[in-house]
Amino acid sequence: MRAMRRLTATSTSLGLAVAGLILGTGSAAHASGCSQDYLPLPDPVCQPGAYNPDVTQDTIGSTICVSGWTSTVRPSTSYTNALKVQQIAAYGYEDTSTADYEEDHLVPLELGGAPKSAENLWPEPRYGDTTAANKDTVENKLKKAVCNGTVGLDDAREAVASDWTTALSSLGLS
């Protein structure tokens, strides 16, 4: 009996420790919900952005600046669609039609954003004045500037992660 109590206490402690670890690694933001207050940007607590460690200023010539490279790292739609459903719920969007959102990378693959990180992917509305299509234009201009040496990779990443709607002007590219 004493061994059973010790086992139960140990299991309970382990469960609480795991829960604390999960909460401490950022999953708490998803559990408690993400705010729409930042639109057209994601909630920075839920999606602060994340980088692909294989992409650095030194490797851009063999990664992001190679035509077609993003297709080699882009996650499958089965992965992004499942994540989109979870994140639409986390954001509390009234419109839950997945067709009305693009599961978009805050730091784009074109700038070496982490392909599968939930911290870098979010359900960006396709409706409104500033949409996913607008962001695509910004991403392409930033990639071109990085690849031609006008802007450093870290500066472009920081600008787009901070506020993609002002990234070009903050870097003197608009």
Side-chain angles (χ1 to χ4, degrees), residues 85-109:
V85 169
Q86 293 171 6
Q87 291 179 334
I88 286 171
Y91 272 91
Y93 288 130
E94 286 183 30
D95 174 4
T96 59
S97 171
T98 57
D100 292 336
Y101 303 90
E102 177 178 325
E103 190 67 7
D104 200 15
H105 294 88
L106 176 61
V107 178
L109 297 179

Side-chain angles (χ1 to χ4, degrees), residues 4 24 30 53 63 112 130 142 166:
M4 185 64 105
H30 297 287
T63 56
T130 312
L142 288 173
T166 61

Side-chain angles (χ1 to χ4, degrees), residues 24-80:
T25 59
S27 294
H30 297 287
S32 64
C34 302
S35 176
Q36 297 178 37
D37 293 346
Y38 301 93
L39 289 174
L41 308 173
D43 181 328
V45 172
C46 294
Q47 280 78 39
Y51 304 152
N52 180 340
D54 295 334
V55 180
T56 65
Q57 188 68 50
D58 291 337
T59 65
I60 62 172
S62 61
T63 56
I64 66 169
C65 297
V66 173
S67 180
W69 181 81
T70 58
S71 66
T72 68
V73 296
R74 187 171 306 283
S76 68
T77 55
S78 62
Y79 175 81
T80 57

